[in-house]
Amino acid sequence: MQTKSACQESLILNIFITMDKMKIVGIFLAAGRGSRLAPLTDTIPKPMMDIQGKSILERSMTSASFVDRFNIVVHWLKEQIIAKIGTEYKSKLVGYTNQENPKGGTMQAFRLAAQQSLKDSESEIGFCVFNADNINADSYYDILKEAIYSDPNKSYAVAKKFEDRSRLSEYGVFQVDSDNNLLNIIEIPQEYVSDLANIGMYYFPPKIKEYLDIDLTNGNSEEYITELYNHIRDKIDIQILSGTGTHFAVTNPSDLEAAQSLDL
C-alpha cells in the first residue's frame, strides 16, 4: 500500500504527464460590434480600443501568455484585428475564427473556435475562454493558470469578489459550496445571493469536446457559456476561483475615458 506521500507524488506526476500531453488554447471572444460605444466602434473594433497605450485585446493576450496558442473569434472589422495581431503573438501561434452572427452568443463563439482548434490539432486540448472587451488584473490570470496546472481535468471560472454589494446587480453571480464548487449561476440578481461576480474568464478541460454540440438555444437565438455550465455540472467538476483585483468592463464612451486612469 502506498503511503500518503507516495500517493501525492503519484498524483502530481500524473498531472504533469497530462499537461505534457495536452495543449491549452486561449480563445478570445472579439466578434461583437460594441454598439454602445458607437460612434467610436463604427471605425475601430471594441477589443482594439486603446487603454493606456495598448489595446484591450493585447492586454488580455499578454496576461494569458501561459496558453500554448491563441484563437481569436472575430467578425466586426476583423481585418483590423488580424492586421494588428498577425499570426504570432508573444511567440505563440494565432488563429482566427469568424463568427458570422456575433449575436449567436458566447457559447456559439466558443464552439466554433474549439471545433476549429480540435480539427487542427493532434493533441488533447484544454480551452481558456476570455471576453476580449474586459480589463482584468494579472492576478486573475495567475490564479487561473495555477489552478489549471494543479488539475487540468477540472473546469474553472474566475470571479471578482465584490465588497460593494450594490455593484452585484450588474453581473451574473456564482453560488458555491464550502469548497468553492459551482452550485448555481444567477444572471443579474435583483437581491443579494453571492458576492462572486462572473468576469468572463473560463477554463474547460479536454473532456468538454463531448459536450460542444449541445443545443443551448432554449428557443432563443443566443447561446451562452453560462448555460453550458448548467449542462455539465454533474459531468465535470467546476470550481470557482476568486480574487479582488481590478476588473473593468468597457461598455460606453465614459468607461473608455475612465479606463485611462486605472492603476494597471
Side-chain angles (χ1 to χ4, degrees):
M1 180 180 294
Q2 286 185 309
T3 65
K4 181 178 180 181
S5 177
C7 287
Q8 290 173 334
E9 289 179 5
S10 176
L11 175 60
I12 292 170
L13 178 60
N14 287 333
I15 287 173
F16 277 114
I17 289 173
T18 302
M19 290 302 299
D20 184 58
K21 290 182 178 178
M22 69 176 275
K23 301 294 183 183
I24 301 175
V25 174
I27 295 174
F28 297 81
L29 310 183
R33 181 164 184 164
S35 57
R36 285 178 289 184
L37 270 171
L40 298 173
T41 48
D42 290 344
T43 55
I44 302 173
K46 182 178 177 180
M48 300 311 296
M49 291 289 171
D50 183 275
I51 305 295
Q52 300 181 29
K54 184 181 289 187
S55 72
I56 300 172
L57 176 58
E58 289 174 284
R59 285 187 175 279
S60 184
M61 292 177 70
T62 298
S63 298
S65 58
F66 61 88
V67 303
D68 294 293
R69 61 180 185 269
F70 302 105
N71 189 306
I72 306 174
V73 182
V74 294
H75 181 70
W76 177 249
L77 300 176
K78 60 186 176 184
E79 296 81 8
Q80 290 189 35
I81 296 176
I82 295 170
K84 178 65 175 178
I85 303 298
T87 57
E88 187 174 299
Y89 189 83
K90 299 294 180 182
S91 302
K92 310 287 176 67
L93 291 177
V94 180
Y96 297 88
T97 298
N98 185 42
Q99 186 180 15
E100 288 290 346
N101 175 25
K103 292 185 178 180
T106 56
M107 180 60 205
Q108 184 195 77
F110 169 43
R111 179 189 295 118
L112 291 170
Q115 289 176 337
Q116 177 178 305
S117 298
L118 288 166
K119 181 178 65 176
D120 295 340
S121 176
E122 296 180 358
S123 302
E124 287 285 283
I125 298 177
F127 300 98
C128 287
V129 185
F130 306 97
N131 288 349
D133 52 5
N134 290 336
I135 301 169
N136 292 309
D138 285 343
S139 57
Y140 293 113
Y141 297 88
D142 291 341
I143 61 174
L144 182 59
K145 175 185 175 181
E146 290 171 8
I148 295 169
Y149 275 81
S150 175
D151 188 346
N153 299 306
K154 289 183 177 181
S155 180
Y156 303 101
V158 182
K160 178 177 175 65
K161 189 168 186 177
F162 271 101
E163 295 182 1
D164 180 2
R165 291 189 176 185
S166 66
R167 295 287 311 281
L168 290 166
S169 61
E170 302 170 19
Y171 294 85
V173 298
F174 300 112
Q175 288 183 303
V176 299
D177 64 17
S178 58
D179 295 317
N180 293 315
N181 297 307
L182 177 66
L183 295 176
N184 197 13
I185 302 173
I186 300 174
E187 296 294 343
I188 317 299
Q190 297 305 303
E191 58 185 28
Y192 177 79
V193 292
S194 168
D195 58 1
L196 300 175
N198 182 7
I199 62 173
M201 297 177 61
Y202 314 96
Y203 167 77
F204 297 96
K207 188 176 180 177
I208 198 64
K209 65 184 178 183
E210 300 174 20
Y211 309 104
L212 288 174
D213 290 327
I214 295 174
D215 183 359
L216 299 174
T217 53
N218 294 322
N220 301 313
S221 60
E222 295 186 69
E223 298 177 275
Y224 297 102
I225 286 175
T226 49
E227 285 298 315
L228 176 63
Y229 274 135
N230 290 330
H231 283 265
I232 66 172
R233 274 186 304 191
D234 60 344
K235 303 173 182 70
I236 298 175
D237 291 336
I238 305 167
Q239 191 166 37
I240 306 304
L241 312 171
S242 64
T244 58
T246 296
H247 163 73
F248 195 86
V250 179
T251 304
N252 53 58
S254 62
D255 292 332
L256 194 62
E257 182 177 349
Q260 306 302 333
S261 59
L262 287 176
D263 183 14
L264 300 175

